[in-house]
Amino acid sequence: MAIFDMLPVKFSLFTSSILNTSTVVAITVFVTLLCACIVIGHLLEENRWANESITALLLGLVSGGVVLLVSGGKSSRILVFNEELFFIYLLPPIIFNAGFQVKKKQFFKNFSTILLFGIIGTIISFCLISLGAFLLFKRLGLTSLGIKDYLAVHIEHMKIVFAAAIGAIFSATDSVCTLQVLNQEETPFLYSVVFGEGVVNDATSIVLFNAVQSLDFSDIDVFTALKLLGTFLYLFCTSTALGITVGLLSAFGIKTLYFGRHSTDREVAIMMLMAYLSYMVAELLSLSGILTVFFCGIVMSHYTWHNVTESSRVTTKHSFATISFIAETFIFLYVGMDAVDIDQWKESSASAGTSLAVSSILFALVLIGRAAFVYPLANISNCIKRRDGDKIELRKQVTIWWAGLMRGAVTIALSYNQFSSSGTSSSTVYPLLITSTIIVVLFSTVVCGSVTQPLINAVMLRNAKPTTSDGTDFASLDDLRLLFLENGGSNDASGNQEAPRSSGFRLLMRYPTHTVHYLWRKFDDRFMRPVFGGRGFVPVVPGSPTGAADDQTS
């Protein structure tokens, strides 16, 4: 906001004395740009090469350049980036709405693949990127970075030193930008896998980032890797459990008290506040707020949303989506404007060749790190799956790899968090890493984001087959066999009854995803919904929800 402090004093006559002039002008500029992004995004709706995130990013770049010219080459930072502001106010509504709007049946059908990519894949990418950064940056002469900024492997002593800065920062896929170039109706499998992997990927990267910060690198021993793994599993499991717990509490409270009989505003407010509370409690307990609010959104959409009045259902659904949309657009708009901040480039004394080399290395490591887990893990998943329709074909693997290359606001925020405070020995290196991160984010978002949809059209839709590979229903044979679990067995043609335990065990081993889904539905209908509400179990009272069918299938 520095450039607006130079505005004529008489301009302040048009604003209230209790408001800062530069703040009012900055917010006015951003609101105007947000409106422009919405209008341009609407006009480019049918364009396969552009989406709203790219539009906001490019508009931010142009606006930042104009402000830079108007200010005479001085800083164009209208709003100073604050990673705490990003994580506290902008990110929660985006992640919550992602969990609230997700198609749960498709998501959990591919949950094993999502976890495989989002957790194991992120760890693989984290290790490769960190190791590559340590080796390649050292050759460029960037040796002033501390050991905590790399992952170094000392084969002689068989010790692995985990330090998250580079690895964790660039392991975070931008799920927001990714989903804007995927269509759930055309490619439901890719949508659910890339979406789920992106959210879990972001959460995993932040969990790794926080976990490594808690390690004592002055006393490294052979148990360092195990300690990191234990810390990660603790944070991941407790964060997920907290989100589910808060979601169930909101469902039970709204079902029991039934705010809607007096005021629909109260039940809408309690849903929003409970969702935000889950994120803040997670951050207060040093857990992963992303995972917590994501699973809180899933639980709320499954139970709480059905316990409110019909008018509140419409209100909450559109309110969450609108707030998330504005936050997403604001983030990309600011990233674009922040990229042309002249002060950041002045602080880095590196040459243009060094900056280009560092940015190229980082993006190359992202390419290699993602390819190193997408293709092997996809083939491992194919070996486990028995049905050909459930296997991930090579063309799908290529699309998953490409669509996940985009890096966005989470990468920017983590980079500022790690490198914004410069020390005496690294004051020129840290600004270089921040500017290099911005270059990678801009390049990956614009190039990868604009090519993803044409790639899907060329590789996926053009070669699409009328199969049930992306379907959400079980095969008829599976439906019949799943009934064996409920009926206790089946009679064959000769009248011999099959052992129920053996049938159930074989079914679980052969169709684990379908069997777990069936057992969960039985448990949910029998125990969970009578207590926490949900579709079909809401008490019928005057003015209560009717339990009408909705488009959020569970």
Side-chain angles (χ1 to χ4, degrees), residues 118 164 201 294 369 382 422 486 516 537:
N201 186 293
F294 175 71
N382 291 340
S422 58
E486 182 177 10
V516 170
F537 285 96

Side-chain angles (χ1 to χ4, degrees), residues 488-521:
S490 63
N491 295 326
D492 56 21
S494 60
N496 297 325
Q497 188 174 23
E498 188 177 353
R501 289 183 180 272
S502 176
S503 174
F505 180 78
R506 289 199 305 266
L507 182 59
L508 180 62
M509 294 296 101
R510 187 171 184 179
Y511 305 102
T513 303
H514 296 171
T515 306
V516 170
H517 180 270
Y518 173 80
L519 293 176
W520 159 249
R521 291 301 298 269

Side-chain angles (χ1 to χ4, degrees), residues 62-138:
V62 174
S63 303
V66 172
V67 174
L68 188 64
L69 293 175
V70 172
S71 62
K74 297 183 179 181
S75 176
S76 63
R77 301 186 72 178
I78 297 181
L79 293 179
V80 178
F81 184 86
N82 188 324
E83 61 273 9
E84 292 185 358
L85 177 67
F86 167 76
F87 282 111
I88 292 177
Y89 296 105
L90 297 178
L91 191 59
I94 297 175
I95 302 301
F96 173 78
N97 183 69
F100 191 81
Q101 302 286 354
V102 67
K103 301 297 182 181
K104 296 180 288 295
K105 188 173 183 179
Q106 184 67 243
F107 178 82
F108 286 105
K109 178 184 177 182
N110 302 305
F111 194 59
S112 59
T113 303
I114 291 171
L115 290 181
L116 195 64
F117 285 174
I119 298 178
I120 306 300
T122 303
I123 295 176
I124 295 175
S125 178
F126 164 74
C127 296
L128 290 177
I129 292 175
S130 299
L131 177 60
F134 174 74
L135 297 176
L136 295 176
F137 284 2
K138 189 175 182 180

Side-chain angles (χ1 to χ4, degrees), residues 124-203:
I124 295 175
S125 178
F126 164 74
C127 296
L128 290 177
I129 292 175
S130 299
L131 177 60
F134 174 74
L135 297 176
L136 295 176
F137 284 2
K138 189 175 182 180
R139 297 191 61 180
L140 288 174
L142 303 180
T143 56
S144 59
L145 287 174
I147 191 64
K148 293 186 67 175
D149 296 324
Y150 304 106
L151 168 67
V153 180
H154 198 300
I155 301 179
E156 181 180 355
H157 297 89
M158 300 300 292
K159 292 182 179 180
I160 300 179
V161 181
F162 285 89
I166 299 296
I169 287 173
F170 286 94
S171 296
T173 303
D174 186 3
S175 58
V176 175
C177 188
T178 299
L179 292 182
Q180 291 192 5
V181 295
L182 294 176
N183 188 291
Q184 189 171 14
E185 302 300 327
E186 296 178 349
T187 54
F189 172 79
L190 291 177
Y191 186 94
S192 62
V193 169
V194 177
F195 164 78
E197 184 239 333
V199 172
V200 177
N201 186 293
D202 282 346

